[in-house]
Amino acid sequence: PASQRQPDLAAGAAKPGDVEASGDPLGPAADSTGAAAPPPAREASKVSLEELTGIWVNSDGLLCTMANAECTFIAVGTYKISVVGEQIILNKWRVARVTREQITWERDGKTTQWFRLEHPAEVDDINGQWRNTDGLLCTVSRGVCAFAGGPPGALGV
């Protein structure tokens, strides 16, 4: 799935979590002059880290979870989120605009968007067979987990 694509990190130059990486898991930067008008959004200075907690997919299709001042990209690793003054910063990108469903990040005159995932069926990376801590096998498909010999149950985000 698209969320399993690796970012374009320079070979041997950087590793996940390195803020100087040549590739950037926040997604491809778009020239801000060519971007469409954003939907009504709140001022970035009025947004708290807690409001950004959730599961997101960026413009490049990378899946990440944001919680506890960290952003973890499934295919890349974990990055610290910092608050500098009233700005939320992740790998030198700052939150510029926020709606419930979308974050626009800015860095060096470029922008990238993230989109919130609300339903487990939207997360392709969890489809497959999993074993829980009790050793029970579960098959996940379209947001539903079915344990061997048991009824299927819907997953929550």
Side-chain angles (χ1 to χ4, degrees):
S3 61
Q4 292 181 344
R5 286 185 281 161
Q6 295 288 326
D8 185 22
L9 295 174
K15 57 185 179 231
D18 185 345
V19 296
E20 296 300 322
S22 63
D24 202 311
L26 266 65
D31 184 340
S32 60
T33 61
R42 294 188 13 201
E43 290 181 41
S45 64
K46 307 280 187 206
V47 177
S48 70
L49 280 177
E50 291 78 25
E51 293 175 83
L52 302 181
T53 297
I55 301 172
W56 299 84
V57 64
N58 69 11
S59 305
D60 200 28
L62 290 174
L63 188 69
C64 68
T65 58
M66 289 183 59
N68 303 318
E70 292 184 336
C71 180
T72 301
F73 290 89
I74 288 179
V76 180
T78 300
Y79 289 75
K80 292 286 183 188
I81 302 168
S82 58
V83 178
V84 179
E86 294 184 339
Q87 294 185 347
I88 296 174
I89 308 288
L90 174 60
N91 198 26
K92 298 184 182 178
W93 289 84
R94 70 173 184 83
V95 171
R97 290 178 296 281
V98 176
T99 65
R100 166 109 178 96
E101 299 82 22
Q102 182 177 340
I103 304 172
T104 299
W105 298 86
E106 288 183 350
R107 176 173 151 178
D108 299 328
K110 298 183 179 179
T111 62
T112 187
Q113 281 75 40
W114 287 12
F115 305 92
R116 185 185 297 271
L117 297 179
E118 296 285 347
H119 306 286
E122 296 175 296
V123 185
D124 291 336
D125 290 332
I126 63 173
N127 290 333
Q129 291 196 327
W130 300 87
R131 193 169 301 277
N132 72 8
T133 55
D134 294 328
L136 300 174
L137 187 63
C138 171
T139 301
V140 177
S141 178
R142 297 185 196 139
V144 175
C145 176
F147 285 96
L155 298 173
V157 175

